[in-house]
Amino acid sequence: MNKKKYIYILAIFFCASIFVTFFAISNSSSLNKHFSEAVNQEEEEYKFRLVGIVCSYVNRFYVEPDRIKPKEMLKESLSWLERIIPEVRVNVDDKTEKIEVLVDEASKVVDFSKIHRLGELYNTLTDVLYFVNDNKHHEIKTEDIEYAAINGMLSQLDPHSVVFPPKDFDEFKIGTSGKFGGLGMVVGLRDGILTVISPIEGTPAFRAGLNSGDKIIAIDEDSTINMSLQEAVNKLRGDPSTAVILIVESKKSQTNKSVTLIREIISIPTVSSKLADNNIGYIKVRNFQEDTSEALEEEIEKLTAESGGLKGIILDLRNNSGGLLGQAIAVADKFLSSGMIVVTVEPMGKQKIQKAKKSSKDLDKCPLVVIIDAGSASGAEIVAGALKDNNRAPLIGDTSFGKGSIQQLIDLINSGAALKLTVGKYLTPNFTDIQSVGIAPDIQLVQSQVTKDEIILFNENPHFREKDLKKHLDEHSKGEVPYEKVRYLVHIDEEEGENEEEGKEDKIKDEDYYKIPDLEKDTHVQFARTIILNSNLYGKDDEFLDKLKPIIEDFKKSEDTKIADALHTQGIDWSTGETVSPPTATTKLQLIPPKGEVKAADELKIDISVTNNSEGTMYQLRGMTESKNLLIDKREFIFGKVEKGETKTASQTIKIPQNSVSRKDELIVKFHEFNKNAPEDIKSAVSIEALPKPVFSYSYQIIDEGEGLTGNGDGIIQRGEVLDLVLFVKNIGKGTSEKNIIALRELSQKEVYIERGKMELGELLPGESKSLKIKLTVRETLEADDFSVDLTIADTTYGTRISGKLEFKVDQNGENGIMTPTEKPLMVMDDSVPIYNGKSSSTPVISYTNAGATLMADKETESWYRVKMPEERFGWISSDKVKISGGVDSAEQKEPDMFLQNVPPLIELDTQNPHDTFRQEHISLSGTVKDDNEIQYVYILVNEDKVFYKSNKDASEEDKSSLSFASDVPLEDGPNVISIVTRDDQDLLSTKSFVVTQLPTEEKDES
């Protein structure tokens, strides 16, 4: 299948992509007395009020009361706290029904044996939250602890019930209303620069001439270099009729221009259309928001006027994730004059039936074909189900997502947050429950691919659906089977694929996320068009699909021929036939490198050969791999026709990603043959060894004297100065960093301007150091006496990173003593003497020097000397730590080395290959973490569960820089992602991860 590359896009007209379904805003405050009293308490101490409020709503409105299990909800709630707070551990003993909650060394035991109702859950959980909040060390906001606890609790109900914190709730409301004050363009980060992806026609951005690829350098004089994408979007949005000034670098001219735009109410385009050949209207409905049905009518009127009379409509609901219930009903009603649209099931089983309403504007007689896929969810499934069950239109495509639940959105009193709670389910007009099974199309179209590198014919269901979500509501019906299934061949331009890497630096594709697909190349659209033109879709009855059979067979035959021809070009005979005597075959699996032991970034070649040892012929022989490692799972090996005595070989070469973690997995090849004469399965194993990774450490320094700078050379920041921020980065890891990024974000003061916010160091070998300079301007208008900016240094291949906050003091008075030029050799009198960035001990230490070292001073004050550093930099040393050294030649002066201010802890394991097993139920894991200063703690995660924690707070001073650990780590069936996490006193994190795959008991017994 096409391997597409996706970029993170945050649209200024953000479209809620959560499978929200449909909701009603509720401001109900009729809580029971117990919870109402909790809300009314007004004390300075933080009260965990929302827990009680949410429990009350769940108790009264949740769709399936039998799923409310307070004990399990408590355990999952505490598990979520364990994940977000390092020092929290939770040990559950189901036999004694007790939970031990540890916060570092503080301990609390919770008896959950008597928790049977949500009120009892509320009391117990609130008590634990106070305990955690009082004893935690981690700087996490109390309200975030409460949100995590509630969402952990709700996750035990279903994957769609959730609490939105205020910020997320604001975004959610924009997605469902479809309107906000803004400029009307999609923006994204390209190479770290805020870039226009596409303006929307008729909006301020479109009228101002902004184009895809233009770079937004500043918003209202604030540089976007230091902004996150979310922050930039927030600045671009605002009240209608307010102005915003953008500095834009044109993609075409590469010049900057100032553009003043007036914000307007922006409507998210929810429906688009295009007139296809033969006067067939194509309509794409992307979601269901407040104006969807109105927009649909407008598009239909436009198509009707353009065509003079539509011969049919293709309604495309692919990747439509849902939205508002009322709008989904209105869209379905547009194509129906009678019949049921949907049945909603409320708590306690109460049903409500929504029926179509006859209207003069109905298109109930216009031929219609509906396209759905695995991304069609919620509202899209309402529409598809209504049109299918009412015999209004055939459905083509793929089985839908399978979300048959309804959520209600409830404002949580005076908090700005909201609860999205599952309060109902819906059934199709035939009373079919599609929860977790989806709506099957009448004609399923299955994509196939044939290239020299990969053949995909039978991996039919790679898509993520509702049934794959944890704790999804159970299905209560079996999924329907499509009337017919047709494989179609997707064209892959192999030459383009080969050249993709070569030209990707210079080729930036303009992306329009609201662009209608190329109708001539879209197989689904072309098949729908064929159905409309060659059949009478009006008056569709139960036998209608039988009448479509000739059209389906012609299409199927055409696509089968295309697939067979494509296979023939690869030397594969895909013909069929009968076998008189059952054939027997010998199979052989060869892995290169031998034993399947491969390193990350290398290639794994899988060769499978089949020899037909009998008189009979094998037809359409194929093999498919099975493995817990998705990289090698569901790989297809196509042999086709294998005649008597013939040996055929199929191969695949798999490029192991450079950032792969160490793991070992079983590999099984299962065979299939047209006449069911398949050879036996063959088994092997693949072991991947991770490459050593780079580890970054860094220092920083302010330079305020030199070309283009306007400082006074004292190493201290004053208002009005133009400075150089120098970053020093060293790779202290064992692996090379080939591609990396340095990003500066979240500048605390807008009166400070940073020239560049994103840079690259280039290749950084183990032990190698590099530096770079960034211009920094401190405006005269700055009133604060300090500012800060967040720094991230990341390797884009391995994902290793180090983050920290660079903090700067500002001398508002400029009175730090008079500097005079000098030229004096100095000798250091003590060991470990610090050299500072400026003539103040409040500035960062940039180096240390020892007794006997000689330095050369070029400036002095009453109590400081400025001394020369490497790369024409300078530092300051206290005059009471040195003496003037006579008779030393300046050529003999040694410039001190740069001090690494921020060095992350390093993790060393005692075992070299702990991943090299899938036969054990646990592994023993031990090692040591080391730091240049002090370790805070180390913990071990298995998947998302914390199984070990050790603090270092009671260590002696000499032992604080290292911490040993040992644990017997339990393994679950399947892949276990094991991560060792440690943090030092500078809040620098380090992680080491690998995967251990545990085979289920029956598989271990068989192997």
Side-chain angles (χ1 to χ4, degrees):
M1 210 148 302
N2 265 334
K3 296 194 169 55
K4 299 181 180 177
K5 297 183 178 177
Y6 298 92
I7 70 171
Y8 259 136
I9 296 292
L10 182 53
I12 295 183
F13 42 93
F14 182 74
C15 220
S17 60
I18 303 171
F19 294 114
V20 179
T21 348
F22 341 103
F23 63 84
I25 300 292
S26 171
N27 288 302
S28 172
S29 59
S30 58
L31 305 174
N32 63 43
K33 180 180 178 182
H34 177 77
F35 293 117
S36 297
E37 290 176 352
V39 172
N40 292 327
Q41 293 179 4
E42 294 288 337
E43 296 181 20
E44 290 185 5
E45 182 184 13
Y46 186 89
K47 298 292 183 182
F48 295 97
R49 300 183 177 108
L50 294 185
V51 175
I53 296 172
V54 170
C55 284
S56 178
Y57 280 120
V58 170
N59 190 53
R60 287 181 292 155
F61 299 130
Y62 191 67
V63 60
E64 291 189 7
D66 291 345
R67 292 179 66 91
I68 301 174
K69 298 178 180 178
K71 291 181 181 180
E72 299 305 313
M73 292 169 72
L74 173 65
K75 287 188 277 187
E76 191 62 21
S77 178
L78 299 183
S79 177
W80 278 48
L81 295 183
E82 185 180 50
R83 294 170 198 167
I84 68 167
I85 307 175
E87 58 268 28
V88 171
R89 285 169 292 158
V90 177
N91 299 319
V92 180
D93 190 331
D94 287 317
K95 290 184 178 179
T96 63
E97 294 196 294
K98 285 183 170 56
I99 302 175
E100 182 185 24
V101 182
L102 298 103
V103 185
D104 204 344
E105 295 183 355
S107 175
K108 182 180 184 65
V109 176
V110 177
D111 184 349
F112 64 91
S113 62
K114 298 180 181 180
I115 296 178
H116 303 291
R117 298 178 180 85
L118 288 176
E120 295 156 349
L121 165 64
Y122 162 68
N123 291 329
T124 303
L125 180 56
T126 303
D127 189 37
V128 173
L129 291 177
Y130 280 117
F131 167 72
V132 170
N133 195 47
D134 291 342
N135 290 279
K136 68 179 175 64
H137 312 311
H138 195 267
E139 294 182 5
I140 182 172
K141 293 179 180 179
T142 306
E143 54 266 34
D144 290 337
I145 294 177
E146 184 170 32
Y147 291 136
I150 293 172
N151 281 326
M153 180 178 74
L154 294 175
S155 71
Q156 274 297 112
L157 298 175
D158 66 79
H160 304 291
S161 293
V162 65
V163 162
F164 292 127
K167 191 174 181 180
D168 295 340
F169 184 32
D170 290 340
E171 289 294 336
F172 181 86
K173 287 186 287 188
I174 289 173
T176 52
S177 70
K179 296 180 179 179
F180 57 90
L183 304 178
M185 57 183 171
V186 183
V187 295
L189 289 177
R190 282 180 172 167
D191 297 325
I193 299 173
L194 188 67
T195 304
V196 177
I197 303 301
S198 61
I200 303 174
E201 187 172 351
T203 63
F206 184 86
R207 291 194 297 269
L210 297 185
N211 297 304
S212 177
D214 288 350
K215 298 173 182 177
I216 302 175
I217 306 301
I219 305 171
D220 285 337
E221 297 187 348
D222 291 345
S223 171
T224 60
I225 294 299
N226 310 295
M227 290 182 191
S228 66
L229 187 55
Q230 182 62 61
E231 183 184 1
V233 168
N234 291 341
K235 286 182 177 292
L236 291 167
R237 287 179 184 160
D239 294 332
S241 302
T242 58
V244 59
I245 301 173
L246 306 181
I247 303 298
V248 179
E249 180 185 303
S250 171
K251 178 185 176 183
K252 294 180 179 179
S253 64
Q254 302 293 307
T255 58
N256 290 359
K257 63 180 179 180
S258 177
V259 181
T260 300
L261 302 174
I262 305 299
R263 297 182 179 96
E264 297 177 0
I265 292 293
I266 304 299
S267 297
I268 302 171
T270 179
V271 182
S272 297
S273 69
K274 185 177 181 179
L275 188 63
D277 292 342
N278 303 106
N279 286 339
I280 294 174
Y282 168 86
I283 299 176
K284 173 72 175 176
V285 181
R286 296 181 181 85
N287 66 335
F288 297 96
Q289 58 193 39
E290 289 176 359
D291 63 342
T292 300
S293 59
E294 182 182 344
L296 175 63
E297 286 200 9
E298 291 175 356
E299 295 296 327
I300 290 173
E301 289 175 2
K302 184 178 73 173
L303 290 171
T304 302
E306 185 180 352
S307 64
L310 290 171
K311 289 186 177 180
I313 291 177
I314 300 169
L315 182 62
D316 192 348
L317 299 177
R318 287 175 293 183
N319 293 314
N320 180 322
S321 59
L324 302 176
L325 172 60
Q327 289 295 309
I329 291 172
V331 168
D333 199 359
K334 184 69 180 174
F335 300 99
L336 295 169
S337 59
S338 63
M340 293 167 50
I341 293 177
V342 67
V343 180
T344 57
V345 182
E346 299 173 358
M348 311 305 295
K350 182 179 179 182
Q351 293 185 352
K352 182 178 180 181
I353 297 175
Q354 297 282 348
K355 293 185 177 181
K357 299 175 183 178
K358 189 173 180 61
S359 168
S360 60
K361 292 185 177 181
D362 284 344
L363 288 174
D364 56 316
K365 295 182 180 180
C366 182
L368 178 69
V369 175
V370 180
I371 309 175
I372 60 172
D373 67 2
S376 305
S378 303
E381 292 175 296
I382 290 277
V383 175
L387 298 178
K388 180 181 181 180
D389 284 4
N390 281 284
N391 288 329
R392 176 63 183 87
L395 270 55
I396 68 171
D398 200 1
T399 302
S400 63
F401 185 77
K403 181 178 182 294
S405 59
I406 302 172
Q407 282 68 45
Q408 181 176 358
L409 194 64
I410 305 167
D411 280 323
L412 297 178
I413 300 173
N414 299 325
S415 68
L419 168 65
K420 181 163 71 76
L421 183 66
T422 300
V423 297
K425 297 175 71 174
Y426 71 80
L427 310 177
T428 69
N430 288 344
F431 291 88
T432 301
D433 184 351
I434 61 98
Q435 171 61 31
S436 301
V437 295
I439 293 177
D442 295 306
I443 306 162
Q444 183 180 15
L445 302 183
V446 181
Q447 180 174 307
S448 299
Q449 170 185 319
V450 178
T451 68
K452 66 179 181 181
D453 294 323
E454 188 172 24
I455 298 175
I456 300 175
L457 297 180
F458 297 93
N459 183 13
E460 298 179 3
N461 197 23
H463 303 291
F464 190 85
R465 288 182 168 87
E466 173 82 8
K467 62 183 176 59
D468 300 309
L469 295 172
K470 291 182 178 179
K471 296 293 179 180
H472 64 267
L473 296 180
D474 296 330
E475 60 269 21
H476 296 284
S477 62
K478 292 183 178 181
E480 293 182 336
V481 178
Y483 174 81
E484 192 66 71
K485 179 167 67 175
V486 180
R487 299 185 190 279
Y488 71 95
L489 183 68
V490 61
H491 176 69
I492 304 295
D493 191 335
E494 297 189 56
E495 291 186 6
E496 182 179 321
E498 292 171 0
N499 298 328
E500 182 180 352
E501 292 297 320
E502 300 174 13
K504 71 177 181 179
E505 295 296 330
D506 302 321
K507 179 182 177 183
I508 298 178
K509 182 180 179 181
D510 293 340
E511 299 170 49
D512 187 344
Y513 288 84
Y514 290 86
K515 185 178 180 181
I516 287 177
D518 187 336
L519 303 186
E520 295 300 317
K521 294 183 179 179
D522 190 310
T523 302
H524 293 70
V525 172
Q526 288 300 305
F527 183 45
R529 176 177 166 273
T530 301
I531 292 175
I532 290 173
L533 293 176
N534 293 280
S535 60
N536 180 12
L537 292 179
Y538 176 61
K540 175 177 179 284
D541 53 30
D542 292 337
E543 298 179 357
F544 170 75
L545 291 174
D546 291 333
K547 297 174 184 177
L548 273 184
K549 191 74 172 179
I551 298 173
I552 299 172
E553 288 301 321
D554 285 347
F555 177 66
K556 186 176 183 179
K557 183 178 180 180
S558 172
E559 292 299 319
D560 284 346
T561 300
K562 291 179 184 178
I563 292 171
D565 289 346
L567 289 171
H568 182 73
T569 63
Q570 306 298 324
I572 299 171
D573 182 345
W574 199 239
S575 60
T576 61
E578 293 184 5
T579 302
V580 178
S581 58
T584 59
T586 303
T587 58
K588 180 181 179 183
L589 170 65
Q590 182 178 12
L591 300 177
I592 303 172
K595 300 181 181 180
E597 297 175 350
V598 60
K599 290 185 177 181
D602 288 347
E603 292 182 341
L604 171 69
K605 187 177 182 184
I606 304 176
D607 284 337
I608 302 175
S609 60
V610 178
T611 301
N612 187 347
N613 299 319
S614 64
E615 297 294 323
T617 300
M618 307 177 80
Y619 294 95
Q620 291 192 354
L621 179 65
R622 59 186 176 90
M624 182 179 287
T625 62
E626 290 185 4
S627 177
K628 301 295 185 182
N629 186 341
L630 298 181
L631 186 64
I632 56 178
D633 184 44
K634 291 183 172 56
R635 297 280 179 163
E636 297 187 41
F637 296 80
I638 308 299
F639 304 94
K641 182 179 179 181
V642 185
E643 297 187 286
K644 169 188 172 182
E646 187 177 14
T647 298
K648 285 197 173 180
T649 300
S651 302
Q652 277 209 41
T653 299
I654 303 170
K655 177 73 174 180
I656 307 298
Q658 194 170 342
N659 60 353
S660 295
V661 298
S662 295
R663 62 183 298 166
K664 182 177 181 180
D665 296 275
E666 189 172 49
L667 175 67
I668 302 173
V669 181
K670 291 183 176 290
F671 293 94
H672 303 268
E673 194 263 347
F674 180 76
N675 293 299
K676 299 183 179 180
N677 294 315
E680 295 291 327
D681 299 349
I682 49 178
K683 294 183 179 182
S684 187
V686 172
S687 181
I688 298 174
E689 181 185 346
L691 294 178
K693 296 176 174 57
V695 179
F696 300 114
S697 58
Y698 71 91
S699 293
Y700 65 100
Q701 179 181 2
I702 288 294
I703 304 293
D704 58 350
E705 183 180 272
E707 184 178 351
L709 307 180
T710 61
N712 57 13
D714 64 357
I716 298 175
I717 299 173
Q718 283 98 25
R719 290 180 299 175
E721 290 186 332
V722 178
L723 316 162
D724 270 341
L725 169 61
V726 184
L727 293 174
F728 305 88
V729 182
K730 183 175 183 178
N731 181 1
I732 61 173
K734 297 179 180 179
T736 298
S737 175
E738 298 174 356
K739 298 178 181 178
N740 44 61
I741 290 175
I742 296 179
L744 296 171
R745 291 194 177 97
E746 303 294 337
L747 189 61
S748 64
Q749 299 292 336
K750 67 179 183 180
E751 290 84 3
V752 179
Y753 184 88
I754 293 182
E755 179 186 51
R756 291 180 294 162
K758 196 168 187 180
M759 301 133 283
E760 295 183 10
L761 280 171
E763 185 180 66
L764 196 63
L765 300 172
E768 185 180 10
S769 300
K770 286 187 178 180
S771 64
L772 50 81
K773 294 180 180 179
I774 305 117
K775 281 284 186 299
L776 187 151
T777 301
V778 182
R779 294 169 181 159
E780 290 281 2
T781 53
L782 178 66
E783 296 181 357
D785 57 6
D786 59 22
F787 65 91
S788 64
V789 64
D790 291 343
L791 167 71
T792 298
I793 305 168
D795 182 276
T796 58
T797 300
Y798 295 101
T800 56
R801 62 178 58 211
I802 183 172
S803 299
K805 189 178 290 294
L806 307 186
E807 298 179 315
F808 306 93
K809 296 290 184 182
V810 180
D811 175 20
Q812 295 285 8
N813 301 315
E815 298 175 359
N816 273 306
I818 299 173
M819 294 182 294
T820 58
T822 187
E823 191 166 338
K824 294 179 180 178
L826 306 175
M827 179 172 289
V828 181
M829 295 187 294
D830 298 320
D831 285 334
S832 300
V833 175
I835 298 176
Y836 295 93
N837 191 151
K839 53 187 179 71
S840 169
S841 58
S842 66
T843 61
V845 174
I846 60 173
S847 187
Y848 283 95
T849 187
N850 292 317
T854 56
L855 307 170
M856 180 59 68
D858 72 335
K859 285 187 179 181
E860 63 179 313
T861 68
E862 184 178 343
S863 54
W864 294 89
Y865 284 109
R866 194 175 84 166
V867 297
K868 294 181 179 180
M869 298 285 289
E871 300 177 9
E872 299 183 349
R873 294 179 289 104
F874 300 95
W876 291 84
I877 193 167
S878 177
S879 59
D880 62 1
K881 299 296 183 181
V882 295
K883 62 181 179 180
I884 299 173
S885 176
V888 179
D889 192 297
S890 61
E892 298 178 14
Q893 310 299 318
K894 183 181 178 183
E895 296 173 340
D897 294 330
M898 189 70 190
F899 166 64
L900 289 173
Q901 300 157 347
N902 299 273
V903 181
L906 298 177
I907 302 170
E908 296 179 358
L909 295 180
D910 295 334
T911 304
Q912 288 288 351
N913 297 307
H915 66 282
D916 192 15
T917 179
F918 41 65
R919 295 286 187 267
Q920 298 175 214
E921 297 180 356
H922 58 81
I923 62 168
S924 295
L925 197 60
S926 62
T928 305
V929 292
K930 297 180 180 180
D931 190 60
D932 61 330
N933 193 23
E934 182 179 333
I935 296 289
Q936 285 193 49
Y937 56 76
V938 62
Y939 62 86
I940 300 174
L941 296 173
V942 177
N943 297 324
E944 295 180 336
D945 295 326
K946 192 180 299 175
V947 298
F948 175 83
Y949 174 89
K950 185 176 181 181
S951 171
N952 205 32
K953 69 176 186 178
D954 295 328
S956 61
E957 286 301 319
E958 59 268 22
D959 292 335
K960 285 185 179 296
S961 62
S962 67
L963 180 62
S964 60
F965 63 90
S967 177
D968 197 37
V969 177
L971 302 177
E972 301 174 355
D973 285 350
N976 293 263
V977 180
I978 298 176
S979 299
I980 302 100
V981 183
T982 184
R983 184 187 295 267
D984 69 8
D985 59 331
Q986 294 176 294
D987 278 339
L988 299 177
L989 276 173
S990 291
T991 302
K992 183 183 286 289
S993 298
F994 55 92
V995 175
V996 177
T997 299
Q998 163 74 351
L999 294 181
T1001 303
E1002 60 272 17
E1003 292 186 28
K1004 286 186 287 186
D1005 292 341
E1006 291 173 5
S1007 53

